[in-house]
Amino acid sequence: MSQIIVDRLNKTYRQAIREPGLKGAIKHLYTQRYVDKCAVSDISFTINKGDSIAFLGPNGAGKSTTIKMLSGILVPTSGSVRINGKIPHQNRMTNAYNIGVVFGQRTQLWLDLPIRESFSLLKDIYSIPREMFDRNMERFIELLDLDQFLHLPARKLSLGQRMRADLAAALLHNPPIIFLDEPTIGLDISVKTKIRSFIKQINKEQGTTVLLTTHDLEDIEDICRRLIVIDKGIIIYDGALDELRRLYGGKERTIHLQLKDANELHALMANIRSKFQVNHIHNNGNMLSIGFDGNRIAAGEIVGYVMLHTEVIDFKFDETRIDGMIRNIYEGNLKLTGDHRV
């Protein structure tokens, strides 16, 4: 059963148009002019329990606006959102118990209170049973290394410490769904690793549904199995990460073969170059690297040919970099077709 159903969702803002300077300010007092700005345009998708989804797009694409409508903060202009069968902005209290939200640039902690007291207040707000609260606190302290700063007020925390505390705060009441808006922005690699590991663990062990917006491509590859790409308020891709790699990973592929014997390697390279018309081929000792057009040549053909002429110890492919694919989608260089063009 789908936990989240988004159907033809739209959000439009009215923006005032004002001429510059004092004259423009005075004129605007008497004659107001406005223009409608479409932040989200007719988007639809469903999310099932336990999904881990990256919600991607360039700045201003409509990601945060969508998250705010899902969390009930914003009211859609038209269309509908249902979370566990309920409309978020009409059932904000109920929806708050079903979701956890982390905004990378904002905090839900009380700035002047020690973190431990912020957690105690959240326990009362969400009516969390003492046993659940103690169990979650013990787990979060261990997984997120919270004990070193629980006594400090939020305003004295580093960005990495605050993000870990915010993540724990969002999950204290065991929500079945969590929305993460740029949860690793500005963090160093060690903190990012802790947060990613924690998110993957709750997704796997508790079946927590994760919807993640991020500009950090490592977050996507480490956490998410499905991508929804939005640009100018419109969904332009909705599908599996592996499928995106398969369909749109680009023509260029590179295979690296470790050979047992490098004798007569230059003759083998010349034969490969002429037989397959590869893009490039070079060696470093007994390591042979071959770049080829994956749409024209099957990798198995090259591997099979090499194995006929020499013993291959091991081989591997360079993974297609997801950042290049996402950039090409934003820039319109990938033609999304069929079920992948939404």
Side-chain angles (χ1 to χ4, degrees):
M1 180 179 178
S2 299
Q3 275 189 309
I4 301 173
I5 301 175
V6 175
D7 184 33
R8 303 180 69 85
L9 188 66
N10 291 274
K11 182 62 181 177
T12 302
Y13 296 99
R14 294 193 73 197
Q15 290 185 334
I17 300 176
R18 197 187 77 178
E19 295 177 12
L22 178 61
K23 181 180 178 181
I26 295 172
K27 185 176 180 180
H28 186 70
L29 291 174
Y30 296 96
T31 306
Q32 289 81 35
R33 294 171 55 213
Y34 298 91
V35 63
D36 288 338
K37 175 178 172 55
C38 182
V40 173
S41 178
D42 204 34
I43 67 172
S44 300
F45 57 85
T46 60
I47 297 175
N48 297 321
K49 178 175 173 55
D51 282 351
S52 55
I53 297 173
F55 194 49
L56 309 180
N59 290 329
K63 304 185 301 297
S64 294
T65 299
T66 302
I67 294 293
K68 288 173 182 176
M69 287 189 283
L70 293 177
S71 60
I73 297 172
L74 290 179
V75 179
T77 303
S78 64
S80 67
V81 177
R82 292 187 180 273
I83 296 182
N84 291 332
K86 298 187 181 296
I87 299 172
H89 70 271
Q90 293 179 357
N91 301 271
R92 291 193 65 178
M93 291 293 292
T94 302
N95 195 54
Y97 284 97
N98 285 324
I99 65 171
V101 182
V102 176
F103 290 103
Q105 303 287 5
R106 301 174 183 85
T107 183
Q108 59 186 308
L109 304 169
W110 283 263
L111 292 178
D112 294 311
L113 291 182
I115 299 302
R116 192 184 298 276
E117 292 186 29
S118 285
F119 288 161
S120 294
L121 283 171
L122 289 169
K123 169 187 172 295
D124 295 334
I125 290 171
Y126 285 103
S127 302
I128 303 171
R130 167 57 66 178
E131 184 180 348
M132 178 195 295
F133 177 79
D134 290 343
R135 184 173 63 248
N136 284 345
M137 282 300 302
E138 182 179 351
R139 185 163 178 247
F140 296 161
I141 287 171
E142 178 185 356
L143 293 176
L144 294 170
D145 290 337
L146 303 181
D147 55 340
Q148 57 184 302
F149 54 83
L150 279 174
H151 63 287
L152 295 176
R155 68 168 62 256
K156 291 191 175 181
L157 300 185
S158 69
L159 179 59
Q161 290 172 332
R162 184 181 65 75
M163 286 305 306
R164 282 181 279 164
D166 266 319
L167 192 56
L171 292 165
L172 272 175
H173 60 295
N174 284 354
I177 302 167
I178 183 165
F179 301 140
L180 304 171
D181 192 12
E182 299 283 0
T184 64
I185 188 169
L187 305 183
D188 62 54
I189 187 63
S190 64
V191 177
K192 286 183 180 182
T193 301
K194 284 187 176 70
I195 288 178
R196 288 173 188 148
S197 176
F198 179 74
I199 294 169
K200 285 192 295 182
Q201 187 165 347
I202 63 168
N203 173 249
K204 181 179 179 180
E205 295 181 359
Q206 298 177 207
T208 304
T209 303
V210 176
L211 182 63
L212 166 72
T213 76
T214 183
H215 288 289
D216 191 321
L217 282 306
E218 291 185 13
D219 286 350
I220 300 166
E221 295 191 293
D222 205 18
I223 298 170
C224 302
R225 296 184 294 273
R226 173 181 164 197
L227 305 181
I228 298 176
V229 183
I230 186 171
D231 190 20
K232 299 175 182 175
I234 300 170
I235 291 179
I236 58 175
Y237 178 85
D238 183 354
L241 174 58
D242 289 342
E243 183 71 357
L244 181 68
R245 280 200 180 100
R246 186 183 72 81
L247 292 174
Y248 308 113
K251 297 179 180 180
E252 175 72 20
R253 302 191 72 189
T254 302
I255 185 171
H256 305 279
L257 302 105
Q258 184 180 358
L259 309 180
K260 183 176 182 180
D261 193 347
N263 291 336
E264 300 183 359
L265 185 57
H266 290 292
L268 176 61
M269 291 168 61
N271 291 337
I272 292 171
R273 187 179 289 111
S274 62
K275 180 176 178 61
F276 296 102
Q277 297 180 343
V278 297
N279 296 340
H280 61 82
I281 182 169
H282 62 273
N283 75 295
N284 182 9
N286 66 337
M287 182 63 72
L288 181 63
S289 298
I290 305 168
F292 60 97
D293 184 338
N295 291 344
R296 187 174 56 84
I297 307 168
E301 294 181 52
I302 297 176
V303 175
Y305 182 82
V306 174
M307 292 178 69
L308 282 175
H309 293 82
T310 187
E311 186 174 348
V312 176
I313 299 174
D314 195 11
F315 66 89
K316 66 176 182 177
F317 292 93
D318 282 344
E319 288 289 337
T320 303
R321 287 183 59 83
I322 188 176
D323 52 349
M325 290 186 290
I326 299 298
R327 184 178 62 253
N328 283 329
I329 290 176
Y330 293 166
E331 294 174 354
N333 297 327
L334 290 185
K335 295 181 179 180
L336 306 180
T337 58
D339 293 338
H340 303 283
R341 178 75 192 192
V342 181

